[in-house]
Amino acid sequence: RGHSDRLAGGNVAAPTATPPRTREVFAQMFRRPAFRHMLAGLALASMALFAGGAFTAPFFMRVHELPLTTTALYVAIISTTASTAGMSLGGFGIDFIARRGRRWYALLPFWGIAISVPLYLAGYGLGNPVVAVTLITIAGVFLFFHSVPTLVAFQNMVAPQQRTTAAFVYFFVSTMVGVGFGPPLLGLLSDLFATASGVTDAAAASAIGVRSALLASIGLYAWAALHYGLAARAIAAEDRP
């Protein structure tokens, strides 16, 4: 593996005897604007993704007043369908569409995340729980379009013996940053919105807080889509003769 891989400049990258130092791989990756924008997009999308996942059950229980059994079914539908379908379609899709140019490794995540934004806004904002679970599930499918193309793009940006480090960067950001900052941030926003609502009933205030926080978190998706769009432009500039 690696003897026939072509890098950005069109050169064939044969594996070297000694792997480069980790900091050298980091420096090489961070020098590229495309990588920096895709990394920022991944971090922002992961924060909103894990935040929404952590508060999906409270959303249906507090806002729509559903029992635990129904909520569990809805959460199962959303989580399994969105991740399985989204990652599968994103993975097979990028294999097909990337033939039109490397910029699609960023453009496919851009369009997926951008399409998910209005769907999430409607899903969290509308009052019917069946409509909500439907829209949130569809939004999640489009959202997960970013996952596989981003991982592949990171590994394609480096030489064969640097790919493990590139994969580490992807999983570190998507898990440590996404899980570490997303749910706590959304919980803080939920408390702030609940307090700012001025509603004296604790249950009603909590419902307002959760819904408002989830709606606010969609801004992270819009911000992530912007970075993926900028990454596509940077990749196009790299490929320009």
Side-chain angles (χ1 to χ4, degrees), residues 122-193:
Y124 291 135
L126 297 179
N128 188 305
V130 176
V131 173
V133 72
T134 302
L135 291 175
I136 293 171
T137 301
I138 296 172
V141 172
F142 281 104
L143 170 65
F144 272 99
F145 279 12
H146 81 280
S147 182
V148 175
T150 303
L151 175 59
V152 175
F154 282 4
Q155 294 187 312
N156 285 344
M157 289 179 180
V158 296
Q161 287 192 321
Q162 301 173 348
R163 287 176 179 158
T164 302
T165 304
F168 160 76
V169 173
Y170 171 90
F171 287 110
F172 179 85
V173 170
S174 62
T175 55
M176 293 296 291
V177 176
V179 177
F181 290 96
L185 177 61
L186 196 72
L188 175 63
L189 287 176
S190 179
D191 289 343
L192 292 175
F193 282 123

Side-chain angles (χ1 to χ4, degrees), residues 77-93 137-138 140-145 148:
I77 292 172
I78 293 171
S79 59
T80 56
T81 304
S83 59
T84 303
M87 294 180 71
S88 298
L89 290 172
F92 288 115
T137 301
I138 296 172
V141 172
F142 281 104
L143 170 65
F144 272 99
F145 279 12
V148 175

Side-chain angles (χ1 to χ4, degrees), residues 35-229:
F35 170 77
R36 295 197 299 269
H37 282 300
M38 291 191 78
L39 186 67
L42 173 65
L44 292 165
S46 297
M47 287 174 60
L49 169 64
F50 285 108
F55 282 84
T56 298
F59 167 74
F60 282 106
M61 295 179 71
R62 300 177 191 177
V63 175
H64 294 288
E65 300 181 346
L66 298 181
L68 182 59
T69 52
T70 306
T71 297
L73 174 62
Y74 282 8
V75 171
I77 292 172
I78 293 171
S79 59
T80 56
T81 304
S83 59
T84 303
M87 294 180 71
S88 298
L89 290 172
F92 288 115
I94 196 60
D95 282 344
F96 173 77
I97 202 169
R99 299 170 188 171
R100 301 178 59 183
R102 290 189 317 119
R103 69 186 186 281
W104 280 98
Y105 283 102
L107 277 179
L108 184 60
F110 164 78
W111 283 112
I113 297 174
I115 292 172
S116 75
V117 169
L119 293 172
Y120 274 124
L121 288 174
Y124 291 135
L126 297 179
N128 188 305
V130 176
V131 173
V133 72
T134 302
L135 291 175
I136 293 171
T137 301
I138 296 172
V141 172
F142 281 104
L143 170 65
F144 272 99
F145 279 12
H146 81 280
S147 182
V148 175
T150 303
L151 175 59
V152 175
F154 282 4
Q155 294 187 312
N156 285 344
M157 289 179 180
V158 296
Q161 287 192 321
Q162 301 173 348
R163 287 176 179 158
T164 302
T165 304
F168 160 76
V169 173
Y170 171 90
F171 287 110
F172 179 85
V173 170
S174 62
T175 55
M176 293 296 291
V177 176
V179 177
F181 290 96
L185 177 61
L186 196 72
L188 175 63
L189 287 176
S190 179
D191 289 343
L192 292 175
F193 282 123
T195 302
S197 68
V199 176
T200 56
D201 181 80
S206 178
I208 293 172
V210 169
R211 170 176 264 166
S212 300
L214 286 168
L215 288 170
S217 72
I218 307 307
L220 293 175
Y221 289 136
W223 193 1
L226 172 63
H227 278 289
Y228 275 107

Side-chain angles (χ1 to χ4, degrees), residues 1-5 7 11-17 159-161:
R1 177 174 174 83
H3 284 284
S4 61
D5 291 352
L7 299 178
N11 298 320
V12 175
T16 58
Q161 287 192 321

